Amino acid sequence: MNDYSLKALTKWCEIDLDLLAHNIVETKKIISKDTRIMAVIKDQAYGHGDVTIAHEMECLGIDFFAVSHIDEAIRLRNSGIESNILILTYTSPEAFGLLIQYHLTQALISFEYARKLNSFCKDNSCRCSAHVKVDTGMHRLGLCYDGTASTLKPLLELYRLPNLTITGTYTHFAVADSLIVSDKDYTLHQNQLFQKLLCKLKEEGISPGILHTQNTPATLHYPEFHYDYVRVGTLLMGLPYGDIALSSKAENFKPLFSLKAKVALVKTLPPNSKISYGLNYTTSSTEQIALVTIGYGDGYPRYLSNRKVCVIINDCLAEVIGNICMDQLLINVTDIPHVTEGDTVTLIGSSGDHTVSLNYIAQLMNTVSNELVDHINPRVPRVYRKGNEKVIRFLSF
């Protein structure tokens, strides 16, 4: 896009691809030399745009992606992504044919599910690549393994299904983000169970394929776990959260994402003027307010209304006042000189000496930073920065 198109935007997310490269380098510093990165880019790469992010990652040496749903995987294939793609959750049996057509790897989430996929492959004279999901204690998806013979038996039967090609085995840690002693013990227990299963498979002459257990928290907190891949998403986006954001290792990861909008209108109001829906903000004196072209319909949370949250304009902090509307919000710019129509407002990110971080907003809302990015509406264009280049793209679902 040309410069005119950039100037015409009224709201946008900026995604810094140079920082993506930086975060990949920082990840490689943490993991062992023989461990590779499986990039989790579900939900549009956490709102960053999966197609653009995936292409950039392939250029940076990433050779394995993980997504939640088959439609995400197909979109990547149709955009030219050739690397391995693992579907982490349920794919309907009616869509099994698409797994074969698009050369996708399916997670086996239960023994019965594996049998259905095996039967499909038998009936259609084909084979499907699959990873075995082992439930070592999160009790969500996967075949339960608690170290007993009764839970080992269905796993051994699954690996021997004749029409599936088992190319990997993995588990997921439930509390790897927590440094509470009992939670650390639980994570270690999960890993010990996984190791015990691997020993049993070896005794039976069964190859588990590639191994991956560490999500973002486990990659930072348990670097001593050595497997073939780490399975990271928010780490690559620079979005560590909770206790992991406090880790010294997390300090080196930089958010790719910032959220910006423009001022559409500036007006001066007399004392005792009530503003926005609900009329729950009243000017205490003569105040200058600015209308900003973004709202909760774009994904900037309405929850932040009247909570003294600030944005950055002209390198100064300005408070969000009144109820946030669907397409716009108001800020108090009384003490900020020369605010005018077209000025850029940074709602999340840095400008001058000020930063409004995702973690700060997430803590106010008692959530995690990646949820905030996930909820930015696809109608908000993503502006990708790389070096001095800027490219505008709209997301498609």
Side-chain angles (χ1 to χ4, degrees):
M1 291 285 180
N2 58 33
D3 190 50
Y4 171 80
S5 298
L6 288 168
K7 290 179 179 178
L9 296 179
T10 59
K11 68 197 81 174
W12 65 98
C13 302
E14 284 193 9
I15 313 295
D16 192 328
L17 297 178
D18 291 330
L19 291 180
L20 174 62
H22 166 85
N23 290 340
I24 289 174
V25 169
E26 290 300 318
T27 303
K28 290 179 178 179
K29 290 179 182 178
I30 297 172
I31 61 180
S32 60
K33 290 183 179 179
D34 55 351
T35 298
R36 301 179 69 84
I37 296 172
M38 182 185 297
V40 181
I41 53 171
K42 59 186 179 180
D43 194 15
Q44 282 283 3
Y46 301 91
H48 292 69
D50 54 4
V51 169
T52 300
I53 292 294
H55 277 287
E56 188 66 19
M57 284 180 169
E58 276 197 330
C59 293
L60 294 168
I62 302 298
D63 65 355
F64 217 128
F65 297 101
V67 298
S68 284
H69 304 292
I70 192 168
D71 58 319
E72 296 174 325
I74 292 173
R75 181 169 61 246
L76 293 174
R77 283 285 186 255
N78 286 339
S79 75
I81 295 300
E82 298 179 352
S83 298
N84 294 305
I85 302 176
L86 170 64
I87 300 173
L88 295 168
T89 62
Y90 175 81
T91 296
S92 169
E94 286 73 23
F96 281 167
L98 295 174
L99 296 172
I100 311 302
Q101 179 182 344
Y102 287 95
H103 307 289
L104 304 173
T105 301
Q106 174 62 46
L108 301 178
I109 60 175
S110 72
F111 180 65
E112 286 304 316
Y113 186 76
R115 287 184 63 183
K116 288 180 182 179
L117 182 54
N118 181 72
S119 295
F120 172 86
C121 291
K122 179 181 179 181
D123 293 343
N124 290 273
S125 301
C126 61
R127 299 184 69 83
C128 184
S129 171
H131 282 201
V132 179
K133 175 66 179 293
V134 183
D135 178 6
T136 56
M138 187 161 175
H139 303 315
R140 194 174 59 175
L141 297 174
L143 284 80
C144 180
Y145 181 67
D146 59 11
T148 63
S150 61
T151 55
L152 175 64
K153 182 180 178 182
L155 277 161
L156 296 180
E157 291 182 30
L158 183 153
Y159 280 97
R160 290 168 175 150
L161 290 172
N163 299 288
L164 301 180
T165 301
I166 306 300
T167 54
T169 302
Y170 70 107
T171 193
H172 195 63
F173 298 125
V175 285
D177 59 320
S178 171
L179 293 176
I180 297 172
V181 172
S182 60
D183 289 338
K184 291 176 69 175
D185 289 343
Y186 197 82
T187 301
L188 293 172
H189 171 68
Q190 282 192 265
N191 190 58
Q192 288 165 1
L193 282 176
F194 191 72
Q195 286 287 329
K196 184 175 181 178
L197 173 62
L198 296 179
C199 289
K200 294 293 184 182
L201 294 176
K202 186 176 181 180
E203 290 172 7
E204 296 287 333
I206 294 172
S207 171
I210 64 169
L211 306 173
H212 48 103
T213 69
Q214 291 149 283
N215 55 2
T216 286
T219 299
L220 288 173
H221 285 166
Y222 301 91
E224 69 272 19
F225 294 175
H226 296 301
Y227 295 102
D228 298 306
Y229 281 81
V230 291
R231 197 176 58 246
V232 290
T234 54
L235 191 63
L236 302 180
M237 302 302 135
L239 300 174
Y241 55 86
D243 283 353
I244 55 174
L246 304 177
S247 166
S248 59
K249 296 187 184 74
E251 295 175 358
N252 298 324
F253 291 84
K254 308 299 182 184
L256 281 56
F257 171 94
S258 58
L259 179 64
K260 300 183 180 184
K262 285 186 178 176
V263 170
L265 177 70
V266 182
K267 63 172 63 175
T268 302
L269 296 177
N272 298 314
S273 298
K274 297 180 182 296
I275 67 167
S276 198
Y277 287 117
L279 303 179
N280 51 25
Y281 178 88
T282 304
T283 58
S284 58
S285 60
T286 300
E287 292 183 11
Q288 191 173 52
I289 66 170
L291 185 144
V292 185
T293 55
I294 196 167
Y296 68 79
D298 302 296
Y300 188 79
R302 189 176 184 274
Y303 178 87
L304 299 178
S305 300
N306 296 301
R307 295 184 184 272
K308 298 189 179 301
V309 173
C310 288
V311 298
I312 311 169
I313 180 170
N314 295 348
D315 294 338
C316 299
L317 293 174
E319 185 179 326
V320 176
I321 55 176
N323 279 343
I324 295 167
C325 307
M326 177 175 281
D327 309 298
Q328 51 208 336
L329 56 83
L330 296 162
I331 59 176
N332 187 338
V333 295
T334 305
D335 298 323
I336 303 174
H338 311 305
V339 175
T340 188
E341 174 191 345
D343 284 352
T344 295
V345 177
T346 300
L347 297 100
I348 297 173
S350 298
S351 180
D353 295 329
H354 298 290
T355 296
V356 180
S357 71
L358 278 165
N359 273 333
Y360 167 69
I361 300 295
Q363 288 169 8
L364 286 177
M365 298 181 63
N366 193 31
T367 186
V368 292
S369 54
N370 49 293
E371 180 182 359
L372 296 174
V373 183
D374 282 353
H375 288 178
I376 300 300
N377 197 304
R379 77 177 182 178
V380 180
R382 273 58 173 173
V383 176
Y384 294 95
R385 298 174 55 189
K386 186 176 181 181
N388 294 322
E389 266 187 75
K390 290 187 178 181
V391 177
I392 302 173
R393 292 203 173 99
F394 288 84
L395 304 188
S396 58
F397 284 93

